[in-house]
Amino acid sequence: MIDQPYAYQRRELTEPDWRRFPGWADVTVAQWESAQWQRAHCVKNLRQLRQVAGPGLSEAFCADLERDQRERATMSMLVPPQMVNTMVPTAAPGEPGFTDAFYADPVRRYMIPVFSDRRADWPSHPYAARDSLHEAEMWAVEGLTHRYPTKVLAELLPTCPQYCGHCTRMDLVGNPTPTIGKHKFGQGRDDRLAAMIAYLKATPGVRDVVVSGGDVANLPWPRLEAFVTDLLDVENIRDIRLATKALMGMPQHWLGDEVRAGMERLGARARERGVSIAIHTHVNAAQSVTPLVARAAQAMLDTGIRDVRNQGVLLRGVNDSAEALLDLSFALLDEAKIMPYYLYMCDMIPGSEHWRLSLAEAQHLQHAIMGYLPGFATPRIVCDVPYVGKRWVHQVSRYDTDRGISYWTKNYRTGIEAGDELALSREYPYYDPIYLLPSHGQRWWRDRDRDRAPELTLVP
Ligand code: SF4
């Protein structure tokens, strides 16, 4: 055997035993596998986390979490039992060292962020912003972002079964937090969805719709099925992707009878029409891929849809090593038949600096994961550049590593640039975390930003 930087090894999936948590000691398999039970027992606040974990979680951790919720969090807390159960999967809260392991756990780090996780020097980049990708600016009709020439993003609803601390759509998604108010859709849901369908019928150049939110798992099934059926009747639509982190966060939802039967109807209709439907999920750590997740993915593939793909997010402390990314990709591909597809660099939202990697780090990781997976399943690490869109990390046009500013170009106009002569010749900047820069680069930012407060703006 040749010694390689990454040693591939097939690993069987395991469902951690939820009964190790004092609050779930008596929960049966039937309860655990019920989506209704999972939704009713999501952890929504510190009190509920304490009830689940019991006294094994230290007071210091609880205070750290409470402070983050009060002063920094951009997302409210909502963690399904399925996700809590994948944190520290082999130790119980009463065991020595549990709190330390909980602090260090990759899933905990992005689902239950605490104050001490964040950077004290630069909690936010000076150019961090709500809606950092300017999606709302590019709404063709409310909730329908038309950024790329042939594809659109439909934000059907502003909620999910789980809230991720780093959510890009923190502007819109979830409940308000003490520091962040949320944007509210102006129109009622049915009117919005009808306007989206009307726009797509009137815009034959669009062939691809990402049906998202939020998470489509939170839309009542009949409403989601009706919308996708309407999409299937739009002559120009050839690809439909349903975005749902819940395939991993609450696989019980996708295993439910109503949802499976409905997906079968949609799959059959799509085949008749020659349209591809795929599910796009969001898994960031190998330990999140459990047998239940694999069952849900298989159930979806059995409905005849084209694929189940993963779009993870590259996050420091969660998956910022070649080993973590390859372990994740192999768990998805080998054991759950989920296609590793994209890894997004974490977007520049307020409070995200401790999660973000520099472009150079992302380029290094892309290089380090090449050659192990089949080419079709090697995830591309992408930077979602504001006003540009996704770019592979090696597509950068110029890179000032002293100031941590990368410059990008593009080859199409977004929906708001119809008359912009310079859109295709301009360079668009993206920014590395400042604390990673050499000292003179950090000084440059400090001098420039001395009088400017980080953009953790309060919005009513
Ligand atoms: S599931 Fe997606 S939309 Fe929902 S909170 Fe997480 S990142 Fe945001």
Side-chain angles (χ1 to χ4, degrees), residues 75 110-111 157-170 173-174 212-215 243-246 282 313:
M75 297 298 289
Y110 79 94
M111 290 304 294
L157 76 170
T159 66
C160 309
Q162 64 285 305
Y163 291 135
C164 317
H166 65 277
C167 180
T168 286
R169 295 203 183 104
M170 47 70 70
V173 169
S212 185
D215 187 320
T244 174
K245 186 181 179 94
H282 168 190
V313 179

Side-chain angles (χ1 to χ4, degrees), residues 61-262:
F61 179 90
C62 295
D64 207 356
L65 172 56
E66 197 169 34
R67 184 166 180 201
D68 196 73
Q69 296 276 299
R70 208 174 46 238
E71 297 181 29
R72 288 281 185 269
T74 56
M75 297 298 289
S76 57
M77 202 171 159
L78 183 65
V79 195
Q82 172 74 23
M83 287 199 80
V84 175
N85 192 38
T86 61
M87 299 176 195
V88 198
T90 54
E95 290 175 31
F98 179 83
T99 297
D100 289 346
F102 201 59
Y103 261 117
D105 187 85
V107 179
R108 194 289 300 163
R109 280 178 191 270
Y110 79 94
M111 290 304 294
I112 310 183
V114 293
F115 188 86
S116 65
D117 289 338
R118 314 232 186 212
R119 298 292 310 177
D121 47 2
W122 295 94
S124 298
H125 193 281
Y127 285 129
R130 306 169 58 110
D131 191 13
S132 69
L133 302 179
H134 307 278
E135 289 179 331
E137 232 175 284
M138 295 179 200
W139 281 348
V141 297
E142 195 177 42
L144 190 78
T145 301
H146 195 165
R147 177 158 52 150
Y148 300 100
T150 61
K151 46 190 181 175
V152 292
L153 165 79
E155 295 166 329
L156 299 197
L157 76 170
T159 66
C160 309
Q162 64 285 305
Y163 291 135
C164 317
H166 65 277
C167 180
T168 286
R169 295 203 183 104
M170 47 70 70
D171 186 44
L172 179 75
V173 169
N175 303 311
T177 70
T179 52
I180 300 287
K182 302 283 168 164
H183 179 87
K184 296 253 180 309
F185 286 128
Q187 284 178 291
R189 188 177 66 204
D190 286 348
D191 289 344
R192 274 192 313 107
L193 272 47
M196 290 179 186
I197 297 290
Y199 177 80
L200 294 170
K201 282 185 177 156
T203 317
V206 174
R207 61 170 298 290
D208 177 359
V209 184
V210 177
V211 182
S212 185
D215 187 320
V216 296
N218 261 20
L219 203 58
W221 179 262
R223 191 64 193 91
L224 179 61
E225 185 172 346
F227 182 78
V228 177
T229 304
D230 286 347
L231 278 182
L232 286 167
D233 288 338
V234 179
E235 197 53 40
N236 39 296
I237 300 306
R238 315 308 305 155
D239 263 302
I240 297 172
R241 321 185 222 169
L242 305 179
T244 174
K245 186 181 179 94
L247 188 83
M248 174 276 282
M250 197 181 282
Q252 295 83 352
H253 171 84
W254 291 99
L255 284 165
D257 291 341
E258 183 189 26
V259 174
R260 287 167 78 154

Side-chain angles (χ1 to χ4, degrees), residues 382-416:
V382 290
C383 180
D384 213 338
V385 182
Y387 292 119
V388 175
K390 283 177 286 297
R391 306 274 98 177
W392 304 349
V393 287
H394 286 90
Q395 281 185 286
V396 64
S397 146
R398 277 191 304 131
Y399 188 13
D400 175 348
T401 50
D402 287 340
R403 293 177 183 176
I405 309 176
S406 49
Y407 298 91
W408 307 78
T409 56
K410 64 180 176 182
N411 52 329
Y412 47 77
R413 289 185 170 79
T414 63
I416 55 172

